[in-house]
Amino acid sequence: MDNVDNKFLGQERIPKLLLKFAVPCILSLLISALYNIVDQIFIGNSPELGYFGNAATSVVFPLTVIASAFAFALGDGAAAFLSICQGRQDTEKAHKAVGNSLLVCLGLGLVFVLFGFIFMTPLLQLFGASDTTLKLAQDYFVIVLTFIPAFMVGNVLNSIIRADGSPAFAMIQTLAGAITNIILDPIFIFGFRWGIQGAAWATIIGQVLTLAIGILYLRRTKSFHIALQSFKLNFQVLSNIVKLGISTFITQMAVVVIMMVSNIALSKYGAMSKYGVDIPIAAMGICTKVLSIILNITIGIIVGAQPILGYNIGAGKNDRVRETFRLTIIATTIVGVVLTTLIELFPDPIINLFGVDSELYLEFARLTFRIFLMAITLTCLTKVISIFFQAVGEPLKSTVASLMRDLVCFVPLVLILPNFMGVEGVLWAAPIADVISIVASAALAISFFHKLGDDRTNPVKHAAIQSSKPGVIITISREHGSQGKKIGELVAKQLGIPYYYKELTALAAQESGLDQEYIKKVNSNDGEQIMHELYLTTSPAKYAIEAQDAALRDISKHGSCVIVGRAADYVLRDSTKLLRVFIYAPKDFRVRNIMEMYGDSEKEASKNVERSDKNRADYYSLVSGQEWGDPQNYDLCVDASLGQEKVAKIIADLATNK
């Protein structure tokens, strides 16, 4: 089975696994960060531009992040959906996911260009452009804006290339653009004396090269083949891409809100201080770029740990989960403390990289680095905890930890503190937010590990695939409370063939090394799982789903049988003899059944039915990309209120004659 290959994640030494996965992640993220920093280094060292040029690019940066939010959301959504398609061996929807994400991204890029040109001046002023920097910001933004569709599509392609199993190529694609930008910046800014426009041209030429390399890759793809029909809009595929990418979009837009609020406050209170409007915005601009490099190092550590955490939480190897978390926390703390010490003791060499035009600028830049980055270790630890929760299948906790520092704490503090502290209040908002958010995030982590317990050592219930006579494979999907399990058993009994329901969990556990109880959780309809649809896309849930799919394919090789649930009708769609059945019933019929089975009140039973049906629809949509319960997806849809025996006979007779 496919998941046997993942067993090394539960057996190899954790430090060795972390080095293997984290180092490439860190390098890739650092390369990406180069795009955001090299322009400011060369611009700041230009005699004609200096910190005014850095202030201008800092004003433009949030607008490019908005474009990035759409591109990264589509890219991450398409990449996640492509991975799902690979797991279910669906080449048809794979190429449509790629084509649709690229087409929509291009369309959004063109809309962004139009909107940007119409509202350029008010947008730049909103993000902090002063009378001094507005012309510089416009000169830079006009060029960057014109080519923004290339930047966006190139980023989507980068995510797709990684998901297609070519991370090295994706890194080369990004590296080629970054190196081109670095080489052209001094040539255009100093050699051709193009000033801030030279920095913009260097940036977009690098981005166009990144796009071109990505397009070339489409000729050598592994899991899909792009064609003209790939670009025909498929709203069902797009819906899945959007759902999978929405968390990325929210995270990116949170960055925009932070930068907008910060720039507005810096502009307002800077004007009231001796520093003026432009010095605070320029200093904050270079400070946030340095922050992004530090964060990318620590994010690379925990992103590298994601597959280790995802597999071991699913395998019930909780001690390995603890060890992985402990090592990532230690590594993050070391990185944070070392870099914080360097910044606090020696800020000037870092600031000087970006050019220093005046003693007043240097004074505020020192303040910015020493205060704003004072608690950078806590910022990194909060980010690590957030991504950790994502890796172990806790999307709600991940979202809370992610947004706590930036939106819940930092933004309100930026609005409040400058009223009492002036422009320095913006700087103090960061360390105070870091302290509050790490307390909240640490509390979530402690609570999680307290409930996690020791390794789950429950022995896997032995299950074996039963050999059967050649014939039809009957898959039964059913609404909750429609007695589908019982009907499936009756059909199997009438035809004298094996019946699989709970046995699937044991089979998947045996072959994959995952914990049987965890696989049950993925199929659970108890309703306790908040954000169920997002939970299904987390790594541990995907490991469990892949294990079940592999078990289903093994079962299908052993002859005729009845299989209930697990989107078996879709997973086994290539089987030569397949009877796909959907069992439904009026809601009041199903509610009465739930009340009898579990002793629920009518209100509780009704909620149970709605919740369980939604969970099944989420699962089916994730696995198949299709709508659960759509009659077009089944050979037979039958009303269970006709009676168990009658419905079972209808199915058995149809199977016999198929």
Side-chain angles (χ1 to χ4, degrees), residues 74 99-109 152 233 238:
L74 286 167
N100 275 236
S101 60
L102 293 175
L103 181 64
V104 171
C105 184
L106 179 60
L108 288 172
M152 293 173 69
L233 284 179
L238 271 175

Side-chain angles (χ1 to χ4, degrees), residues 302 305-314 320-321 324-325 388 391-392 540:
I302 187 63
Q306 276 188 317
I308 309 166
L309 292 164
Y311 180 85
N312 284 287
I313 197 75
R320 288 177 65 83
V321 173
T324 305
F325 180 74
F388 165 78
V392 296

Side-chain angles (χ1 to χ4, degrees), residues 24-42 61 64-65 68 72 140 151 155 158 170-171 173-179 181-182 185 203 207 210 285-300 354:
C25 287
I26 293 169
L27 291 175
S28 181
L29 288 168
L30 285 178
I31 291 168
S32 298
L34 287 175
Y35 264 132
N36 296 329
I37 201 166
V38 290
D39 280 357
Q40 300 223 246
I41 291 175
F42 288 112
F61 186 59
T64 62
V65 174
S68 300
F72 291 160
Y140 185 81
F151 163 71
N155 274 292
N158 191 260
M171 188 165 70
Q173 180 198 17
T174 305
L175 186 60
I179 291 174
N181 190 15
I182 292 169
D185 259 328
T203 296
Q207 291 169 354
T210 298
I286 65 171
C287 183
T288 53
K289 297 304 189 306
V290 172
L291 171 62
S292 70
I293 290 178
I294 299 170
L295 283 176
N296 279 350
I297 295 171
T298 56
I299 289 171
F354 298 88

